[in-house]
């Protein structure tokens, strides 16, 4: 791409200044440039690791559940963030639209993306491992890898308010070529195992009490369902490698969405089975995932457990709450909504869920952030009614969920995108990791059984970090 704006060549602006323009008001002179090149095959995790030396704290990773799309971001061209309690979704949406309105690209260049997430409940923030994460945090990468339809594309994104920036863009090209070369020729070892020194069940007594208290409130008619979660803290002999954690979780959980968001010294990563919303070429898609049971030790036992789940009243009611809520949102924001009448089974390595897909044709003026705001939290991660369930969670659960069980994902400059619900996840901070798991509590829930179910949900991430629970 020839960088030219109204006849002026742009040169001389320091790239560090560009990356630090986090919350600056977008001025009339600001411009957004992107350039894409198609390259040969690159391992996405190799590209992620190629950026480790200079951009260790400024990387992200995304792969959708059917492995048709992979995104990797290295470096920060721009950060969109806020600490709002209200209007946080709208704020990010408006800032992104404003940036997209000044995008300068050629037809061959693919649309740039922003990637990030929101906190679960900004009204329930506490001093915790999540203190460095704002209410909303999204990044536009300086270097964007996209693998789709058998093609591997690498883009440069640059946002500047300087009149002269051609020299800076040329330096970005040189850095892009370096990253591609390192990713293609270096031999990376992603197999290092972590030595776990200790495992602490944080707040176990409070969790059991919260389940019992929530069950009693539900029996008294205060709510229909409340999702209660708990945390597991691990300490390691050495610092945990971000790329090794991502490599392990992608191998462990083949059928899931894989994500990693780096902020400072922390990596939030996981493998979630649950899509919140996808928008693709004017169509909207979601997934109702609620109600679960373990996998069997044989194909016959697995089938029997699946049939038990499909016929279980508690799980079917829990699932229907999610279907009803997501259906209402789609009926408000879409036309031609399609929802199967009965759920089917979603089987992943450690657990099987009740699953109902939802599809609709997008109404005009509705973007992905409108859906994210309307859908979060679904009854599968909050409860029914939502506001009552959130108040019970704030009162009983006793922890800051941070970005756990919250929306994480991406959208691009033409309106396509996808967000997942960040469950089966953990926050890594140097030599510590914090794992999260929860379940839906209803009138006949048993605290000990709910506790045992959380161990099933901990297992994928625990195994990816080098731990083990009965295989």
């Amino acid at each position: 791409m020839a960088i030219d704006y109204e006849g002026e060549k742009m040169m001389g602006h320091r790239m560090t200044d560009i990356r630090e323009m986090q919350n600056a008001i977008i001025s009339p002179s600001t411009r957004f440039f992107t350039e894409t090149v198609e390259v040969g095959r690159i391992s996405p995790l190799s590209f992620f690791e190629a950026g480790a030396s200079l951009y260790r704290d400024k990387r992200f990773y995304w792969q959708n559940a059917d492995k048709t799309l992979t995104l990797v971001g290295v470096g920060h061209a721009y950060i969109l963030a806020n600490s709002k309690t209200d209007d946080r979704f709208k704020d990010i949406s408006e800032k992104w639209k404003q940036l997209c309105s000044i995008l300068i690209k050629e037809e061959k260049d693919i649309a740039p993306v922003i990637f990030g997430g929101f906190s679960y409940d900004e009204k329930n923030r506490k001093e915790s491992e999540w203190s460095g994460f704002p209410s909303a945090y999204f990044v536009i990468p300086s270097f964007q890898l996209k693998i789709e339809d058998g093609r591997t594309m690498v883009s440069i994104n640059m946002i500047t308010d300087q009149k002269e920036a051609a020299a800076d863009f040329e330096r970005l090209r040189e850095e892009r070529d370096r990253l591609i070369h390192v990713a293609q020729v270096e031999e990376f070892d992603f197999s290092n195992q972590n030595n776990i020194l200790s495992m602490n069940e944080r707040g176990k007594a409070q969790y059991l009490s919260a389940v019992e208290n929530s069950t009693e409130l539900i029996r008294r008619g205060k709510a229909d369902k409340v999702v209660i979660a708990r945390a597991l803290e691990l300490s390691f002999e050495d610092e945990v490698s971000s790329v090794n954690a991502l490599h392990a979780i992608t191998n462990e959980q083949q059928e899931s969405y894989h994500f990693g968001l780096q902020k400072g010294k922390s990596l939030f990563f996981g493998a979630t089975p649950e899509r919140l919303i996808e928008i693709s070429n004017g169509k909207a898609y979601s997934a109702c995932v609620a109600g679960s049971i373990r996998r069997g030790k044989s194909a016959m036992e697995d089938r029997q457990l699946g049939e038990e789940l499909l016929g279980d009243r508690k799980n079917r009611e829990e699932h229907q709450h999610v279907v009803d809520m997501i259906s209402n949102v789609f009926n408000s924001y879409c036309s031609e909504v399609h929802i199967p009448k009965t759920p089917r089974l979603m089987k992943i390595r450690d657990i099987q869920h009740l699953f109902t897909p939802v599809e609709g044709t997008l109404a005009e003026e509705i973007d992905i952030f409108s859906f994210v705001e309307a859908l979060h939290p679904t009854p599968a991660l909050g409860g029914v009614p939502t506001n009552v369930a959130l108040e019970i969670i704030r009162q009983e659960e006793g922890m800051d969920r941070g970005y756990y069980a919250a929306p994480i994902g991406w959208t691009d400059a033409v309106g396509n995108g996808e967000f997942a619900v960040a469950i089966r996840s953990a926050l890594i901070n140097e030599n510590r990791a914090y794992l999260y798991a929860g379940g839906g509590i209803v009138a006949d829930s048993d605290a000990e059984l709910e506790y045992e179910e959380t161990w099933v949900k901990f297992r994928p991430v625990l195994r990816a970090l080098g731990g083990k629970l009965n295989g």
Side-chain angles (χ1 to χ4, degrees), residues 103-123:
L103 176 64
I104 299 170
K105 65 186 286 292
E106 296 181 0
E107 187 174 346
K108 69 177 181 62
D109 299 319
I110 62 175
V113 305
I114 54 169
F115 179 88
F118 298 91
S119 64
Y120 180 84
D121 180 6
E122 198 56 25
K123 295 180 180 179

Side-chain angles (χ1 to χ4, degrees), residues 155-184:
S155 299
I156 297 168
N157 297 314
M158 176 173 156
I159 298 172
T160 179
D161 59 1
Q162 301 299 302
K163 288 184 177 180
E164 298 180 349
D168 276 339
F169 203 88
E170 188 59 36
R171 284 192 287 272
L172 287 172
R173 288 184 175 124
E174 292 174 1
E175 177 64 0
R176 172 202 63 200
D177 293 344
R178 184 190 73 82
L179 290 169
I180 292 170
H181 180 264
V182 171
Q184 289 180 331

Side-chain angles (χ1 to χ4, degrees), residues 72-85:
V72 178
V74 173
H76 290 168
Y78 209 89
I79 296 174
L80 300 180
N82 66 56
S83 297
K84 296 176 177 288
T85 301

Side-chain angles (χ1 to χ4, degrees), residues 120 225-229 378-383 389 393 397 401 438-441:
Y120 180 84
K225 174 187 173 182
V226 180
V227 177
I228 298 296
T378 70
L381 280 307
I393 291 168
E397 196 173 79
R401 292 187 180 185
I441 310 306

Side-chain angles (χ1 to χ4, degrees), residues 135-235:
S135 176
Y137 181 75
F138 286 82
V139 301
I140 302 168
S142 298
F143 307 98
Q144 170 187 313
L145 174 77
K146 182 179 183 181
I147 302 174
E148 186 177 32
D149 298 329
R151 302 175 67 199
T152 301
M153 316 291 286
V154 178
S155 299
I156 297 168
N157 297 314
M158 176 173 156
I159 298 172
T160 179
D161 59 1
Q162 301 299 302
K163 288 184 177 180
E164 298 180 349
D168 276 339
F169 203 88
E170 188 59 36
R171 284 192 287 272
L172 287 172
R173 288 184 175 124
E174 292 174 1
E175 177 64 0
R176 172 202 63 200
D177 293 344
R178 184 190 73 82
L179 290 169
I180 292 170
H181 180 264
V182 171
Q184 289 180 331
V185 305
E186 289 288 328
E187 294 185 7
F188 295 104
D189 180 11
F190 302 142
S191 61
N192 293 343
Q193 288 296 309
N194 302 302
N195 183 18
I196 298 176
L197 297 179
S198 66
M199 184 165 63
N200 173 34
E201 293 187 64
R202 295 199 307 179
K204 176 183 175 181
Q206 180 159 359
Y207 168 80
L208 293 171
S209 175
V211 172
E212 291 170 353
N213 292 343
S214 299
T215 302
E216 179 59 28
L217 289 169
I218 292 167
R219 287 171 180 164
R220 286 161 44 193
K222 300 294 185 182
D224 296 320
K225 174 187 173 182
V226 180
V227 177
I228 298 296
R230 69 186 188 99
L232 189 65
E233 181 179 353
L234 308 180
S235 65

Side-chain angles (χ1 to χ4, degrees), residues 202-433:
R202 295 199 307 179
K204 176 183 175 181
Q206 180 159 359
Y207 168 80
L208 293 171
S209 175
V211 172
E212 291 170 353
N213 292 343
S214 299
T215 302
E216 179 59 28
L217 289 169
I218 292 167
R219 287 171 180 164
R220 286 161 44 193
K222 300 294 185 182
D224 296 320
K225 174 187 173 182
V226 180
V227 177
I228 298 296
R230 69 186 188 99
L232 189 65
E233 181 179 353
L234 308 180
S235 65
F236 300 87
E237 184 175 358
D238 300 307
E239 183 173 337
V240 178
S241 162
S242 295
V243 73
N244 288 351
L246 287 168
H247 178 261
I249 199 71
T250 55
N251 284 339
E252 288 283 348
Q253 300 293 309
Q254 295 284 335
E255 310 89 346
S256 298
Y257 292 87
H258 304 130
F259 63 88
L261 175 62
Q262 206 135 25
K263 186 178 186 302
K265 295 183 181 299
S266 296
L267 172 78
F268 181 50
F269 83 107
T272 174
E274 187 164 349
R275 175 172 61 194
L276 185 66
I277 181 68
E278 178 187 4
I279 292 178
S280 179
N281 300 320
K283 293 283 189 178
Y285 307 89
S286 189
C288 308
V289 181
S292 59
I293 199 167
R294 65 180 176 86
R295 296 299 302 270
K297 295 180 179 179
S298 66
M300 180 177 293
E301 184 189 21
D302 200 60
R303 184 171 61 253
Q304 291 171 343
L305 288 168
E307 291 172 353
E308 178 184 333
L309 177 61
L310 287 167
D312 183 74
R313 183 181 60 83
K314 170 187 175 292
N315 280 289
R316 288 294 290 266
E317 288 179 358
E318 182 181 342
H319 185 79
Q320 192 60 42
H321 286 313
V322 180
V323 173
D324 291 344
M325 183 266 201
I326 293 179
S327 299
N328 288 337
V329 172
F330 266 64
N331 285 325
S332 298
Y333 288 171
C334 294
S335 60
E336 301 177 17
V337 177
H338 302 286
I339 307 169
K341 292 183 179 180
T342 57
R344 59 179 188 254
L345 294 174
M346 173 191 287
K347 294 175 181 275
I348 53 181
R349 179 170 178 178
D350 297 287
I351 198 167
Q352 43 190 323
H353 295 280
L354 295 177
F355 165 72
T356 299
V358 183
E359 177 182 339
T361 301
L362 197 66
E364 292 185 11
E365 304 302 321
I366 298 296
D367 70 356
I368 199 165
F369 293 107
S370 301
F371 273 96
V372 171
E373 180 174 17
L375 291 170
H376 174 71
T378 70
L381 280 307
V384 181
T386 301
N387 291 339
V388 175
L390 286 175
E391 286 299 329
I392 295 173
I393 291 168
R394 291 166 189 155
Q395 175 183 327
E396 298 290 344
E397 196 173 79
M399 74 174 186
D400 181 358
R401 292 187 180 185
Y403 283 26
Y404 162 69
I408 189 165
W410 64 277
T411 186
D412 66 18
V414 295
N416 295 322
E418 190 166 25
F419 278 77
V421 181
I423 55 175
R424 312 294 189 271
S425 57
L427 181 68
I428 297 172
N429 191 315
E430 297 185 313
N431 69 333
R432 293 191 176 274

